[in-house]
Amino acid sequence: MHLLMNCLAAWQQQARAVLLVGLCAGGSLAAARAQGAPTVAAARPPRAYTRAAHLMGSHFTFTAVSSDDSLAWRALRAGMRETGRIDRLFSYWDSTSQVVKINRMAGIRPVVVDQEVYDLIARTLKISQLSGGAFDITFASGDKIYQFDKTEHASLPDSATVRNSVRRIGWQKVRLDPAVHSVYLPEKGMRINLAGILQGYGVRRASEIMKKMGIAGGLLNGSGDVYCWGKQADGSGWRIAIGDPARPQSVSSWLTVSDMAVVTAGNYEQYFTVAGKYYGHIINPHTGYPATGLRSVTIICPDVELADALDDAVFVLGPQVGLAMINRLKGVDATVITDDGQTLVSKGMQLNSYHSAAAATVAKTPVTR
């Protein structure tokens, strides 16, 4: 428990406003005008401003609530620029990125990286420890033996092929040197990929910049990694919908939040089937097989970066063990949808289910592996 809380502590760092003018105030204003006194223009009501872009290989939508048009657009541009900068810095594909440099030097020598890169990698390793390796950025070391083409496959690869595919995976192998902030992958063929946390990190950094610029309310959505703060322009909270894996483009449940991240991972967009059983793109780094048992995982907590990593971890751990882990973390909640369509929630989760969705069941009993 102490380890779990210490690990979590590392992270624990649209619409109108209505202006009511009474009769008395109206009379005072008329009197002031009659006397030639200067008048103050009424404050403009806040509005929602939205900008979209393709970043990190995904669709991002940023919304800022402000009564200042110029400020809103400047903040949106700044947030998008920051997300693009992070994409280039940590890209798994861009030959100039520091992640690519680390991977190229695997089994050869350590690579000195920017403090920002070092720190994010260090945080991912803490989540690996927290989750027992269910979240592991060295998953990129695995061989690509599956094709997630949404079709029926005759069978899974043979067991020997699967075992061999994960032989180089292991977060414990990553060597960090805090003195020079270097990263070393000790085996040739090892690779890291921060895709499981990068969108959350990009959204977090963008929101921090926009807040500093004076945006008191906003919602940033990086392909399902959502973070919102403040209020909508009408003063209400942000309503976030959770998709229904069994009925694409429909909603299974929703919740109203503010100053909170809502991050969802699902296996219903990238998958294949064998004998009618779904196998999604999230691989269990321990076994090499696609994680099974869940169709969707949604994490709710104040830190979108942390939530982005935890959804994959819960997916790998499965409904019982995954929710047991969430139940041990302060300020973190989750809802999951199982392969058979059940909706389960962590003990602190307040979820609004649509009539078409099955009633949520609270998973209260900790389960250990």
Side-chain angles (χ1 to χ4, degrees):
M1 173 69 74
H2 181 66
L3 171 61
L4 289 169
M5 300 314 300
N6 282 344
C7 290
L8 182 60
W11 281 270
Q12 313 271 217
Q13 311 204 7
Q14 149 186 141
R16 307 264 148 102
V18 180
L19 179 64
L20 298 177
V21 181
L23 291 176
C24 180
S28 298
L29 180 60
R33 285 174 173 164
Q35 297 170 13
T39 60
V40 178
R44 296 179 62 180
R47 293 174 51 199
Y49 301 82
T50 298
R51 183 170 180 149
H54 190 77
L55 297 162
M56 300 181 177
S58 300
H59 183 72
F60 278 65
T61 304
F62 285 11
T63 297
V65 175
S66 177
S67 58
D68 185 330
D69 295 34
S70 177
L71 172 62
W73 292 121
R74 284 189 285 111
L76 289 169
R77 288 194 296 268
M80 290 287 185
R81 281 197 303 271
E82 176 66 1
T83 307
R85 181 192 68 82
I86 290 168
D87 188 11
R88 293 186 296 274
L89 183 62
F90 291 92
S91 174
Y92 182 72
W93 307 105
D94 189 333
S95 61
T96 66
S97 84
Q98 296 191 12
V99 166
V100 169
K101 292 176 182 177
I102 293 168
N103 293 341
R104 283 176 176 169
M105 292 296 106
I108 301 174
R109 62 174 176 81
V111 176
V112 175
V113 298
D114 292 352
Q115 189 71 51
E116 179 182 12
V117 175
Y118 180 92
D119 289 345
L120 183 56
I121 291 174
R123 292 198 297 274
T124 69
L125 299 183
K126 289 180 179 179
I127 301 176
S128 294
Q129 185 177 17
L130 171 68
S131 65
F135 178 84
D136 190 334
I137 61 172
T138 71
F139 79 90
S141 306
D143 298 334
K144 293 179 173 59
I145 61 174
Y146 303 105
Q147 186 176 2
F148 301 102
D149 54 7
K150 301 183 181 181
T151 67
E152 176 78 8
H153 292 192
S155 65
L156 292 168
D158 64 85
S159 59
T161 298
V162 175
R163 285 195 305 270
N164 189 58
S165 72
V166 295
R167 67 193 184 283
R168 290 185 296 264
I169 294 177
W171 65 272
Q172 306 96 325
K173 301 175 185 178
V174 180
R175 300 178 189 173
L176 302 182
D177 186 341
V180 296
H181 44 86
S182 68
V183 183
Y184 181 48
L185 306 180
E187 298 178 16
K188 285 201 171 187
M190 278 194 72
R191 294 180 296 271
I192 60 171
N193 187 339
L194 280 74
I197 199 172
L198 199 57
Q199 290 184 170
Y201 178 57
V203 167
R204 180 171 73 78
R205 288 290 301 131
S207 68
E208 289 170 352
I209 287 175
M210 293 172 66
K211 288 177 184 178
K212 288 180 181 178
M213 294 179 69
I215 300 301
L219 184 149
L220 312 185
N221 184 351
S223 189
D225 290 6
V226 176
Y227 176 72
C228 56
W229 71 97
K231 301 291 184 181
Q232 297 194 61
D234 64 356
S236 64
W238 299 96
R239 179 174 290 192
I240 311 298
I242 299 172
D244 184 349
R247 290 173 285 274
Q249 310 305 316
S250 66
V251 172
S252 68
S253 54
W254 58 273
L255 62 162
T256 301
V257 296
S258 184
D259 302 296
M260 198 67 65
V262 182
V263 175
T264 298
N267 71 352
Y268 46 88
E269 292 182 347
Q270 300 181 58
Y271 66 90
F272 64 88
T273 59
V274 174
K277 183 175 181 179
Y278 278 78
Y279 293 92
H281 69 288
I282 300 174
I283 305 297
N284 185 325
H286 299 303
T287 67
Y289 287 98
T292 59
L294 292 171
R295 299 296 308 280
S296 173
V297 173
T298 300
I299 304 294
I300 300 91
C301 76
D303 191 325
V304 63
E305 177 190 312
L306 176 62
D308 196 15
L310 289 178
D311 62 354
D312 287 347
V314 171
F315 222 106
V316 169
L317 291 171
Q320 287 78 28
V321 177
L323 284 175
M325 178 186 72
I326 296 299
N327 283 337
R328 296 195 295 269
L329 302 180
K330 185 178 180 180
V332 182
D333 278 298
T335 177
V336 305
I337 300 177
T338 65
D339 281 346
D340 59 3
Q342 292 186 66
T343 297
L344 310 176
V345 298
S346 60
K347 61 184 179 182
M349 184 70 192
Q350 299 295 319
L351 195 65
N352 302 290
S353 296
Y354 275 74
H355 296 301
S356 61
T361 301
V362 179
K364 295 181 177 179
T365 306
V367 180
T368 58
R369 288 192 295 173

